[in-house]
Amino acid sequence: MGEVRKLQKKLRQIENLEIKISLSPEEKFKISRKAELRSRLAELQLQLSGPQQTLGIVGDGNKEKMKRQVEDALEALPSQTPPASKILKGEMESRAQAAPAARQRVARRDAAEPDRLQDGPEPAKVSHQSGDESGGCPDRDTEQLLRQEEAEFTSLKASWEKARFRLRLLEGHNDIITSVVAVDNLVVSGSRDTTVKVWHVPTATEQKNLGGHTGGVTCLSAPPLEHCRKLARSLFLSDKERFILSGSADCHVKIWALSVGQCVKSIYTFNAVTALCFVPEGDGYIITGSDGGKLQAWNWLTFQNCQSVNAHQEAVTSIQTQGPLVFSGSAEGGVSVWENRCSDRDPLRLLHHWSSQVTGLGGGRLTLSPRGDRVFLAYGRAWLQILQWRTGVISRVTNHSSVAGVTDCVHQTGGLLIGSSYDLANGESTLNLFSLPRCRYLASLTWPNAPRILCFAAWTTGSGDHRWVTGGRDLIVWEQLPSSGKQRGDVTVRRDSRIDSCLLESEGDTEDDEETDDDEDNLDEGDDLGAEDGGSGSWLRCVLQ
């Protein structure tokens, strides 16, 4: 079992090495051993697996312990209650058999979480057998609502199980794609080959190649149309002009006019830019994060630096906005929440900072996606972390059936939470779909020889169908096919029983796993891969080389 864990760590480190632009002969040799290590790991898993072992679960002691905890929890439930997932702390699902006092607590909780009400009611699992036996009969309105919610979720799940997508490969980059954004019928991609490319989605063709960075492009952002018009007027360009922001390891942020394919402004930040976003408040602000943990704000129209603050101890790996709020995450696992005060001097005011001791993260590239009072965090492990950013309460969503799974990015679109999942043991890549706001598992999407997904963007067509773009080794456009058509899709839709049986876990449920992950990338001195290749710092240095 110890050898299984060591092999998993080696494979994790090899995957981090593979994203480097330049490799030494020693590093190339380590990468060449990936197939050999995977073969050995598969052999050990087969030996350790038994007839009662859950499919896809690595048979090490830690994972077996998790499995026993789930089974014990299910046995402790009343016999009338159907198998239930672990419940997210503070967001326990209302059940038809709940006592009146419990229903009152649920009502108070919902009133305190307006972000959940914006999405309307989300389905909850209901046991219709136990209402009378529990000593109280729920009122008819509550029971009817729960039945309706369950029916809606069942219908949504069934529709995704039948979903079909056509995949189209966009060829042109010669290195890993680090960031993607969608603008109208265009996809814009940035790569560590130093270029930004513009693609016409309907024809899947390269429209423009924006060269100008001298270092790898690490991040992109698309300002909204209203702010594009403001800048276009100041530059005497058409009101229909759209702009794209790109950040690079060359310490520059460039603003590109898409129609002409030219850089209209270049901002030198004095630091390698590792993350950026656009804040559409007031005249607009560009927020950049650096490899040293610095956060900077720049006026959208004057491009003057409004603020520089040492926000994090290590590289800023993700910046996202929600109204006037700015969320930043870093490689050491810290998450900060800022309020934009729309001023020309120091516009960002720190509201909350949660260190890695609170988030339990670290040792990877953290990406985040805010939603109301919650922030979904992906950081290179087998689950998605959920941070209640006002209180610091931590929970998680299972996003892989094996501890060898890696979550690289998380995204929200159209009532869906989408997490990428990559299996270090066999190289299999999937997208896992969850319904919002309760994060109930819907389905997993994959296709033959799917590469690791490092970035994601999404939009919907006029008919309401989904269009996605994923980046990593390959740049791929996903186009949802009409349900009434006969065209065969390129994507396999399946359900992972392990994810389905352990959806939402409270902070207390994660402790055993966290202990094993604390030293995930620290191998013994005698290990042939060496500890110097693991950890968050080396991962980010790989990105910036």
Side-chain angles (χ1 to χ4, degrees):
M1 293 181 182
E3 186 177 357
V4 168
R5 290 184 58 200
K6 181 170 287 191
L7 287 171
Q8 291 170 353
K9 294 175 184 179
K10 290 180 180 180
L11 288 169
R12 189 184 299 275
Q13 292 177 345
I14 286 175
E15 292 292 341
N16 288 340
L17 283 177
E18 282 193 312
I19 65 175
K20 293 182 65 174
I21 292 178
S22 59
L23 296 171
S24 67
E26 181 183 2
E27 290 169 336
K28 291 180 180 179
F29 172 73
K30 293 175 182 178
I31 291 174
S32 71
R33 295 189 56 208
K34 182 168 69 171
E36 173 190 344
L37 295 176
R38 280 182 173 170
S39 177
R40 175 57 180 162
L41 179 58
E43 179 182 347
L44 289 175
Q45 288 175 329
L46 184 61
Q47 295 174 0
L48 294 171
S49 64
Q52 296 180 350
Q53 184 172 1
T54 304
L55 181 64
I57 296 181
V58 177
D60 59 10
N62 176 66
K63 205 60 190 175
E64 286 296 305
K65 185 175 181 180
M66 275 189 69
K67 180 186 173 186
R68 289 195 299 270
Q69 289 176 340
V70 174
E71 293 172 344
D72 292 342
L74 294 179
E75 291 174 359
L77 293 172
S79 59
Q80 304 95 327
T81 307
S85 64
K86 296 182 181 179
I87 303 301
L88 178 62
K89 185 181 296 182
E91 293 193 31
M92 188 169 60
E93 294 180 351
S94 304
R95 297 182 181 276
Q97 70 270 29
R103 293 200 302 273
Q104 292 175 5
R105 289 195 298 270
V106 172
R108 289 196 298 269
R109 178 207 63 207
D110 290 341
E113 297 188 15
D115 69 297
R116 296 177 57 194
L117 301 180
Q118 295 174 2
D119 294 85
E122 184 68 17
K125 290 188 177 181
V126 182
S127 174
H128 302 301
Q129 305 173 2
S130 57
D132 295 333
E133 297 174 10
S134 63
C137 181
D139 60 76
R140 294 180 179 178
D141 290 341
T142 301
E143 184 173 2
Q144 182 178 3
L145 177 61
L146 292 172
R147 289 178 183 273
Q148 179 182 351
E149 291 174 348
E150 186 65 19
E152 290 174 353
F153 175 75
T154 301
S155 175
L156 179 62
K157 182 171 64 173
S159 68
W160 276 108
E161 289 174 349
K162 298 177 182 178
R164 295 176 298 131
F165 282 86
R166 179 178 65 168
L167 303 182
R168 289 183 292 175
L169 179 66
L170 304 182
E171 298 182 276
H173 286 295
N174 56 34
D175 209 323
I176 293 173
I177 293 91
T178 59
S179 184
V180 289
V181 294
V183 181
D184 300 327
N185 281 326
L186 303 176
V187 163
V188 184
S189 58
S191 168
R192 281 195 287 276
D193 64 10
T194 75
T195 66
V196 176
K197 291 183 181 292
V198 183
W199 310 84
H200 186 242
V201 174
T203 58
T205 57
E206 180 181 328
Q207 193 176 72
K208 290 182 176 63
N209 180 29
L210 309 180
H213 284 295
T214 58
V217 178
T218 57
C219 45
L220 299 171
S221 183
L225 181 59
E226 176 186 352
H227 288 80
C228 287
R229 288 172 179 164
K230 291 181 180 179
L231 181 60
R233 293 189 191 107
S234 68
L235 298 174
F236 304 103
L237 298 175
S238 169
D239 283 351
K240 297 181 181 180
E241 184 63 74
R242 299 301 300 265
F243 298 95
I244 287 291
L245 314 177
S246 62
S248 170
D250 65 9
C251 305
H252 283 88
V253 172
K254 292 185 180 293
I255 296 91
W256 306 88
L258 290 185
S259 65
V260 294
Q262 293 182 355
C263 176
V264 297
K265 182 64 180 180
S266 183
I267 303 173
Y268 185 69
T269 68
F270 296 94
N271 302 276
V273 181
T274 53
L276 65 78
C277 74
F278 185 86
V279 181
E281 297 290 320
D283 289 336
Y285 297 85
I286 303 170
I287 309 297
T288 61
S290 78
D291 61 340
K294 181 182 292 185
L295 213 64
Q296 294 179 287
W298 310 81
N299 184 280
W300 173 235
L301 298 181
T302 65
F303 304 111
Q304 296 298 311
N305 181 237
C306 303
Q307 185 176 8
S308 294
V309 56
N310 293 320
H312 297 279
Q313 297 177 1
E314 296 185 21
V316 181
T317 57
S318 184
I319 308 176
Q320 297 291 331
T321 64
Q322 180 178 263
L325 300 179
V326 176
F327 298 80
S328 60
S330 69
E332 88 272 4
V335 175
S336 294
V337 184
W338 311 79
E339 179 187 21
N340 177 23
R341 298 178 294 180
C342 296
S343 64
D344 293 334
R345 184 178 179 84
D346 297 338
L348 298 181
R349 180 174 70 92
L350 182 64
L351 296 179
H352 297 277
H353 174 76
W354 303 107
S355 68
S356 59
Q357 294 180 341
V358 175
T359 65
L361 310 184
R365 171 178 168 264
L366 186 151
T367 60
L368 54 82
S369 179
R371 177 186 180 82
D373 290 346
R374 297 181 292 174
V375 186
F376 298 101
L377 309 174
Y379 64 105
R381 292 296 184 264
W383 51 83
L384 293 167
Q385 205 87 331
I386 304 175
L387 169 66
Q388 298 278 352
W389 61 265
R390 295 185 187 275
T391 62
V393 174
I394 289 290
S395 308
R396 75 185 189 189
V397 178
T398 301
N399 191 50
H400 201 284
S401 59
S402 166
V403 292
V406 171
T407 301
D408 287 301
C409 58
V410 58
H411 192 87
Q412 299 175 60
T413 178
L416 294 175
L417 177 68
I418 302 177
S420 69
S421 180
Y422 180 75
D423 195 320
L424 296 171
N426 56 31
E428 181 179 341
S429 183
T430 63
L431 286 178
N432 295 325
L433 311 183
F434 304 86
S435 67
L436 290 171
R438 297 189 191 276
C439 304
R440 297 185 68 182
Y441 175 61
L442 293 168
S444 297
L445 311 180
T446 189
W447 69 101
N449 302 315
R452 184 174 178 177
I453 297 172
L454 300 177
C455 51
F456 183 95
W459 70 106
T460 55
T461 64
S463 59
D465 292 328
H466 289 272
R467 274 185 178 171
W468 303 336
V469 58
T470 56
R473 289 289 179 187
D474 294 330
L475 183 63
I476 299 174
V477 171
W478 300 51
E479 183 178 2
Q480 188 176 12
L481 300 174
S483 57
S484 58
K486 296 183 179 180
Q487 185 176 351
R488 186 174 181 178
D490 301 320
V491 173
T492 300
V493 182
R494 69 186 186 195
R495 288 184 57 79
D496 190 321
S497 59
R498 167 60 184 161
I499 299 178
D500 200 18
S501 64
C502 194
L503 299 181
L504 300 171
E505 302 181 347
S506 66
E507 181 181 21
D509 297 320
T510 69
E511 292 177 356
D512 292 330
D513 289 338
E514 297 291 351
E515 290 175 1
T516 65
D517 289 330
D518 287 341
D519 62 351
E520 184 77 21
D521 294 311
N522 296 321
L523 301 184
D524 298 334
E525 292 182 1
D527 193 282
D528 57 344
L529 280 178
E532 70 273 11
D533 294 326
S536 60
S538 64
W539 194 99
L540 209 59
R541 284 193 292 272
C542 292
V543 172
L544 298 176
Q545 286 186 13

